[in-house]
């Protein structure tokens, strides 16, 4: 029985090596594709994500450069470890890119809304100057300031730009409401509404 097992060992090992070689080629193909994907994300990734990506790219490159070196099973284990590292780095960069896309979309909507609300409040207040009190004007001034901050940060920090645009909208709405109250309570010459 031992002799039979020993005599079958080379055939079994040959099969395992053939399968390992096939899997290794597939792993190398996957790693090359991951290298291309990493290159696409590297340009827009944060500094921390870029460092993780560079480390993973170096490990993948070393595995690909080393090749099987006569032991496809050991090379397959090294390729699998490199694949885990680069997949993790790509995943983090992809999540960051998706967060950025969502922040940019939210920023764009908030900026459009803030611009419209500030303009509406400005027009209402400007056309009714004499009836508008200081509180409404102060709110409008703060709305303009927050809108300016939002526009300034629009490209560099979409999340903060969104927050400032939201605040601009809130101040503009408050200015409009205060101005409306001022106008409805204001009496011109003779005590009538102007």
């Amino acid at each position: 029985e031992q002799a039979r097992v020993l005599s079958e060992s080379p055939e079994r090992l040959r099969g395992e090596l053939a399968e390992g070689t096939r899997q290794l080629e597939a792993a190398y193909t996957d790693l090359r594709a991951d290298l291309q994907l990493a290159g696409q994300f590297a340009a827009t990734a944060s500094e921390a994500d870029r460092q993780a990506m560079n480390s993973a790219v170096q490990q993948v490159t070393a595995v690909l450069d080393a090749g099987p070196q006569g032991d496809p099973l050991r090379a397959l284990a090294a390729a699998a470890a490199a694949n885990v590292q680069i997949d993790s780095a790509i995943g983090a960069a992809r999540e960051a890119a998706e967060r950025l896309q969502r922040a940019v979309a939210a920023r764009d909507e908030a900026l459009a809304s803030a611009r419209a609300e500030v303009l509406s409040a400005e027009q209402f207040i400007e056309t009714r100057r004499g009836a508008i009190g200081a509180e409404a004007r102060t709110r409008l001034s703060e709305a303009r300031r927050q809108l300016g901050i939002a526009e300034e940060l629009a490209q560099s920090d979409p999340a903060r730009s969104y927050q400032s645009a939201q605040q601009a909208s809130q101040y503009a709405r408050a200015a409009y409401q205060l101005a409306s109250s001022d106008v409805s309570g204001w009496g011109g010459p003779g005590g009538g509404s102007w």
Side-chain angles (χ1 to χ4, degrees):
E1 181 63 22
Q2 288 176 344
R4 187 185 63 77
V5 169
L6 284 172
S7 68
E8 291 173 357
S9 284
E11 279 304 311
R12 208 170 326 118
L13 183 56
R14 184 177 309 146
E16 289 174 6
L17 288 174
E19 178 64 17
T21 301
R22 188 190 61 74
Q23 288 180 0
L24 184 60
E25 284 306 314
Y28 284 170
T29 300
D30 186 37
L31 289 175
R32 288 184 193 100
D34 285 346
L35 283 177
Q36 290 179 341
L37 199 55
Q40 293 171 3
F41 282 111
T44 57
S46 68
E47 185 61 31
D49 287 341
R50 195 171 309 128
Q51 288 177 355
M53 193 88 66
N54 288 340
S55 175
V57 164
Q58 288 173 357
Q59 183 179 358
V60 167
T61 303
V63 166
L64 289 173
D65 288 346
Q69 296 181 348
D71 189 349
L73 298 179
R74 183 177 293 158
L76 184 60
N83 192 43
V84 167
Q85 185 177 359
I86 199 163
D87 283 350
S88 175
I90 289 171
R94 181 178 281 133
E95 286 176 19
E98 288 170 359
R99 278 194 308 273
L100 179 62
Q101 282 180 328
R102 287 192 297 271
V104 165
R107 173 211 62 200
D108 290 346
E109 291 172 9
L111 274 173
S113 176
R115 287 181 188 122
E117 293 195 59
V118 168
L119 180 62
S120 176
E122 283 175 340
Q123 289 175 343
F124 186 84
I125 290 171
E126 289 300 315
T127 56
R128 294 160 181 84
R129 281 181 207 224
I132 308 300
E135 197 172 350
R137 292 180 189 280
T138 301
R139 293 286 193 289
L140 178 58
S141 176
E142 184 60 20
R144 287 177 182 149
R145 188 180 82 78
Q146 289 296 331
L147 181 57
I149 291 170
E151 289 175 337
E152 184 179 310
L153 295 173
Q155 296 305 315
S156 62
D157 192 344
R160 284 184 51 211
S161 175
Y162 168 80
Q163 292 170 348
S164 291
Q166 290 286 90
Q167 290 177 346
S169 289
Q170 291 170 358
Y171 281 114
R173 283 192 296 271
Y176 191 93
Q177 289 171 352
L178 288 166
S180 293
S181 294
D182 290 345
V183 168
S184 66
W186 185 74
S193 174
W194 79 293

